[in-house]
Amino acid sequence: SSSSSSSSSSSDVTSNKATDDAITADGTVDETKSSTLSAQCVQPRPIFPWRSSPDPLPRLTHPSKPSVDMHATDDVEIEKNNLMLDEFYLSDYFTKGGPLGPGWISPMEPWFRGALYANSMHLLGVSWPSIIMPWTRKDWEHDMSWNFCHAFSNGVQGMIEDTYILSRSGAYRVETDTAEQGGDGESFDVNLDVTLDPLTGNNGDTAINDSGETNSKTREEISNEDEKYSMLQSHLRQLYQSARNHSHPSKVNILLRTIPQSAQIESMFPIFGLSRSLVEDHPNLRHTYRNLRQGLERKNKEAATAGKARLNPFEVGKFIMESLNEVLSRSASLSGDGNASITVVAQVSINCKEIFCVRDVESGEIIQGYEDGQPRDVTHLVRFEMVLKEKLVGAEDEEAEDGEWEMQIGRWQISDWDDILDGNIFFT
């Protein structure tokens, strides 16, 4: 039908990065290669988009700065120094935003990331004294880390049930083994052992699950119905639905067992005045922070033209605060309910004990992962988002005191993990 065709096309566009790259068990990505005729060879889609690696994402690791001779005069030495510095600054840490991730032009200075982190905590309801005191801040981080671990487990398990157990595509018949114990008796929060057997001649929208029952809802209907309360953002859900619908042509077995052991919050930052839904309704809002940066550059140029020095820190801070107030006011006017949106993004490294393997049942070939079935220590970088709503309390309100902002706390949602959607960003 036209609706299913549109949904499939949308899913393909959304997930082109993660599904066009062959993501292997050690986290490496096969590069596309060009033939002598300049025709690109498109690598196969991963059967199950997943990174199972003990190493953190490269962008989280600050590379060692090369030792260069700043007083070199020899052309060869100068060229060598330049090459080493180019390699240093072209590393993922600098080109992919470091701990802040995609959407940031640089990893920024540690003090700036710390300021973003502290402001995010305060927006989430933590008092400034609790943020400043190391022991109270550590207690909050400990509790949040475990909450993020549980959210990750629930999100992956929910995706598995929706996509692989209660399949809505009808493209495969599924055989599952969802026992709570691994092969060595260890308990796992996420436990998938599923065999996908392609069915021929079934192009309809009716789903067939493992018990032979059908489900006539389309993915679009389910997405619209569940988006508000879904643990996974729709683009991430569509990625796995697309991967499943365009899976291996032969019978494959997917084995994923994982349990979070600990977590560390890598970064948190607020995006004032923007949310996914607001940007979807008003796409021009993607340029909000680009325009703010250009406005600041223009102010500096005006000061230089007038023969003055560049803006001092106080003037820069004043400009940014005034601009953010304008952004929040516009957000409130566009929202329709008078509430301005603020999205808090948290990126969390979750350390897990994990077994992962994708195997061709007929040939026994290991397509992804490891064949020994042994648990490994792996790290997943999970990106969470929460939308906060704040409403300016006017002077006419009896409870108002000097026009304060009232905050409404939202729910955490997973928008990406291991950058398989390049952060799934919406604000640039």
Side-chain angles (χ1 to χ4, degrees):
S1 66
S2 60
S3 62
S4 63
S5 174
S6 173
S7 175
S8 175
S9 174
S10 174
S11 297
D12 290 346
V13 171
T14 302
S15 58
N16 66 329
K17 186 269 176 189
T19 54
D20 286 347
D21 292 339
I23 303 175
T24 60
D26 62 358
T28 61
V29 178
D30 294 340
E31 300 290 341
T32 56
K33 302 174 183 178
S34 298
S35 71
T36 55
L37 298 177
S38 300
Q40 277 198 332
C41 175
V42 179
Q43 297 296 329
R45 302 169 183 267
I47 306 302
F48 189 84
W50 194 256
R51 180 184 188 269
S52 188
S53 172
D55 302 318
L57 286 180
R59 72 171 171 86
L60 295 179
T61 304
H62 194 302
S64 299
K65 190 168 185 178
S67 177
V68 297
D69 183 3
M70 302 303 296
H71 304 289
T73 57
D74 182 78
D75 290 344
V76 175
E77 271 307 305
I78 292 174
E79 181 66 20
K80 181 181 177 181
N81 290 343
N82 289 338
L83 288 174
M84 288 192 295
L85 288 174
D86 285 346
E87 183 179 359
F88 174 70
Y89 287 112
L90 289 175
S91 65
D92 283 357
Y93 180 82
F94 291 103
T95 60
K96 296 186 177 180
L100 296 176
W104 289 82
I105 58 174
S106 79
M108 312 303 288
E109 295 294 332
W111 69 265
F112 185 77
R113 296 199 301 267
L116 293 175
Y117 188 99
N119 275 280
S120 297
M121 288 183 65
H122 188 58
L123 288 169
L124 294 172
V126 185
S127 66
W128 283 114
S130 297
I131 296 172
I132 295 171
M133 298 297 179
W135 54 89
T136 52
R137 184 175 67 251
K138 291 294 183 184
D139 287 343
W140 182 86
E141 289 174 336
H142 178 268
D143 292 341
M144 287 300 298
S145 295
W146 279 112
N147 289 337
F148 284 135
C149 283
H150 294 314
F152 175 63
S153 295
N154 292 336
V156 176
Q157 187 63 38
M159 176 273 294
I160 286 171
E161 292 176 357
D162 287 345
T163 308
Y164 293 91
I165 297 177
L166 302 175
S167 168
R168 295 179 171 89
S169 69
Y172 299 91
R173 187 176 299 277
V174 182
E175 302 167 9
T176 61
D177 176 10
T178 55
E180 294 185 358
Q181 300 293 324
D184 57 359
E186 185 174 2
S187 177
F188 292 93
D189 285 1
V190 175
N191 196 343
L192 172 69
D193 188 351
V194 60
T195 299
L196 305 181
D197 189 7
L199 295 177
T200 58
N202 185 356
N203 298 319
D205 293 328
T206 303
I208 304 174
N209 62 25
D210 56 319
S211 62
E213 298 173 348
T214 62
N215 187 334
S216 60
K217 282 187 176 182
T218 66
R219 287 199 304 273
E220 293 164 309
E221 290 172 340
I222 293 168
S223 176
N224 293 333
E225 180 181 304
D226 297 343
E227 178 62 20
K228 184 178 180 180
Y229 299 103
S230 176
M231 183 62 71
L232 267 61
Q233 199 273 333
S234 62
H235 293 166
L236 190 56
R237 300 199 308 272
Q238 289 169 8
L239 167 67
Y240 283 90
Q241 189 68 60
S242 177
R244 188 195 188 294
N245 291 346
H246 302 88
S247 189
H248 203 267
S250 62
K251 192 172 186 177
V252 295
N253 175 262
I254 302 173
L255 175 65
L256 174 64
R257 291 176 176 145
T258 188
I259 179 171
Q261 309 274 293
S262 62
Q264 177 182 343
I265 303 174
E266 300 289 351
S267 66
M268 281 199 304
F269 58 88
I271 307 167
F272 291 97
L274 298 181
S275 67
R276 283 188 180 274
S277 59
L278 198 61
V279 171
E280 287 176 3
D281 293 338
H282 307 278
N284 61 302
L285 293 179
R286 281 182 177 270
H287 306 305
T288 296
Y289 285 91
R290 183 203 64 182
N291 294 341
L292 191 153
R293 185 183 74 250
Q294 291 176 345
L296 183 59
E297 292 172 352
R298 188 165 55 252
K299 284 281 187 182
N300 273 316
K301 288 181 180 178
E302 290 173 356
T305 303
K308 301 177 183 177
R310 293 172 63 89
L311 299 180
N312 60 45
F314 174 78
E315 292 171 323
V316 171
K318 181 182 178 182
F319 174 82
I320 291 176
M321 289 302 297
E322 290 175 350
S323 298
L324 289 179
N325 281 332
E326 291 179 8
V327 169
L328 288 170
S329 297
R330 181 176 60 179
S331 176
S333 65
L334 291 175
S335 66
D337 57 7
N339 291 320
S341 297
I342 301 175
T343 301
V344 174
V345 177
Q347 295 177 93
V348 186
S349 286
I350 298 181
N351 305 307
C352 302
K353 187 76 72 174
E354 184 170 291
I355 301 171
F356 176 57
C357 181
V358 179
R359 177 175 55 87
D360 187 296
V361 174
E362 304 295 336
S363 67
E365 176 190 0
I366 303 302
I367 303 171
Q368 293 174 254
Y370 306 91
E371 62 180 335
D372 57 14
Q374 296 301 310
R376 286 174 167 78
D377 293 323
V378 303
T379 299
H380 295 287
L381 182 69
V382 186
R383 191 178 180 102
F384 293 87
E385 295 177 2
M386 177 187 285
V387 178
L388 313 177
K389 297 283 189 176
E390 58 177 9
K391 186 179 183 67
L392 183 62
V393 180
E396 67 278 2
D397 296 321
E398 295 180 359
E399 300 179 0
E401 293 184 6
D402 300 326
E404 297 178 350
W405 288 91
E406 288 183 342
M407 189 69 67
Q408 301 173 18
I409 306 295
R411 301 171 67 256
W412 287 111
Q413 186 177 58
I414 298 174
S415 59
D416 196 9
W417 48 53
D418 296 320
D419 286 357
I420 59 175
L421 288 178
D422 279 336
N424 192 10
I425 60 173
F426 65 92
F427 54 91
T428 62

